[in-house]
Amino acid sequence: MKNSKLGKIYRQSWSNRLVHWGVAVSIFSLIISGFGQMPMYKRYNIVKLPGAEWLGDYSITLVMHYLGAISLIFFVFYHMFVHFFKKEFDAIPKRGDVKESGKIIKAMITKGEEPPSDKYLAEQRLAYIAIGITVLALVITGLIKIAKNVAFIHIPHSAIFLSTTIHNAATMILIFLIISHLAAFIIKANRKLLPGMMTGYVDEEYVKHRHSKWYKQINEKNSHKST
């Protein structure tokens, strides 16, 4: 909602920012430690770089991986609980998002006019669900990989092989999605969103121009409150 900060609109709550950065740190630690479990750092002599010796220590990367997994699971379920409880589904894809994404990308390339958007652009909603499904796949398969080490739990070898394959594939897909997410900010129009994940606020003129549907909703809510 629009608030007392002149020329600013509150876009990301402290809860959203907490989840965003919590998930980011968790995933980063999981990727670093996961490659250490393979072990790629010894294979490619990365451990010989100054300060990188610990990457070749299996016990360290194992603990790091478990801590990253615990952290990721916490933030994922916290995020799901909060949004279901508050009934906030702005980031969930809508019908026609693929077609609308094409229009937005075309407009950015040709410097044409983008179609009016809600709080999140169509491609942002698609990216959200893609990352969400990939992360859930990692969590589920990761839990299966942990369960196979528990003495009283028997998991068929075929299930372990399948979960490991999915886990590794999901890791590579997630890395690609993260790179794509970061690359999106190469586009100047997207950079106005960065302060939202830092302070929670974004520029009002940006919202008015690029998220006109959401801006209209905000003004309507404010007018109802003032009457």
Side-chain angles (χ1 to χ4, degrees):
M1 290 179 62
K2 191 173 177 181
N3 55 51
S4 57
K5 285 202 172 187
L6 186 63
K8 301 289 182 181
I9 288 181
Y10 194 57
R11 179 178 171 85
Q12 299 294 352
S13 66
W14 67 267
S15 179
N16 284 355
R17 284 175 278 153
L18 173 67
V19 168
H20 178 272
W21 294 112
V23 167
V25 172
S26 301
I27 288 175
F28 180 75
S29 68
L30 284 166
I31 291 172
I32 294 297
S33 58
F35 283 129
Q37 300 288 292
M38 288 186 179
M40 291 183 64
Y41 302 122
K42 284 185 178 179
R43 188 177 303 158
Y44 296 104
N45 294 319
I46 294 174
V47 292
K48 293 182 179 179
L49 296 173
E53 297 86 355
W54 66 274
L55 291 171
D57 190 323
Y58 183 84
S59 60
I60 293 177
T61 54
L62 180 63
V63 171
M64 182 179 177
H65 205 70
Y66 280 154
L67 290 176
I70 293 168
S71 175
L72 179 62
I73 291 170
F74 167 78
F75 285 114
V76 165
F77 283 96
Y78 169 81
H79 176 69
M80 291 172 66
F81 173 79
V82 167
H83 285 272
F84 274 109
F85 181 76
K86 291 186 175 181
K87 296 181 180 179
E88 295 177 345
F89 306 115
D90 298 317
I92 300 298
K94 302 176 181 179
R95 182 180 295 180
D97 274 356
V98 174
K99 185 177 180 180
E100 188 172 327
S101 292
K103 292 180 180 179
I104 294 172
I105 293 170
K106 181 181 178 181
M108 286 190 290
I109 294 173
T110 61
K111 295 184 179 180
E113 186 176 349
E114 293 183 10
S117 295
D118 290 305
K119 183 176 182 179
Y120 295 99
L121 301 176
E123 66 264 31
Q124 291 174 333
R125 293 193 291 268
L126 293 174
Y128 171 82
I129 200 67
I131 292 174
I133 291 172
T134 306
V135 169
L136 283 176
L138 283 168
V139 169
I140 294 168
T141 54
L143 290 173
I144 293 173
K145 285 164 65 68
I146 291 172
K148 72 180 175 62
N149 296 319
V150 180
F152 58 85
I153 297 178
H154 173 72
I155 300 175
H157 178 74
S158 57
I160 295 171
F161 176 79
L162 180 62
S163 64
T164 300
T165 302
I166 294 173
H167 196 79
N168 293 339
T171 298
M172 301 313 297
I173 292 171
L174 184 60
I175 291 172
F176 170 76
L177 290 172
I178 291 170
I179 293 171
S180 300
H181 174 64
L182 296 174
F185 292 105
I186 295 174
I187 301 169
K188 189 176 180 181
N190 292 332
R191 295 175 198 166
K192 292 282 188 178
L193 290 169
L194 286 172
M197 277 303 173
M198 301 294 182
T199 65
Y201 295 91
V202 291
D203 183 72
E204 183 178 354
E205 285 302 314
Y206 165 80
V207 175
K208 185 177 180 181
H209 170 71
R210 205 171 191 211
H211 300 268
S212 55
K213 288 184 179 179
W214 182 45
Y215 188 74
K216 183 180 179 181
Q217 292 171 5
I218 292 171
N219 286 331
E220 286 176 354
K221 285 181 181 179
N222 288 333
S223 62
H224 285 315
K225 286 184 176 181
S226 60
T227 56

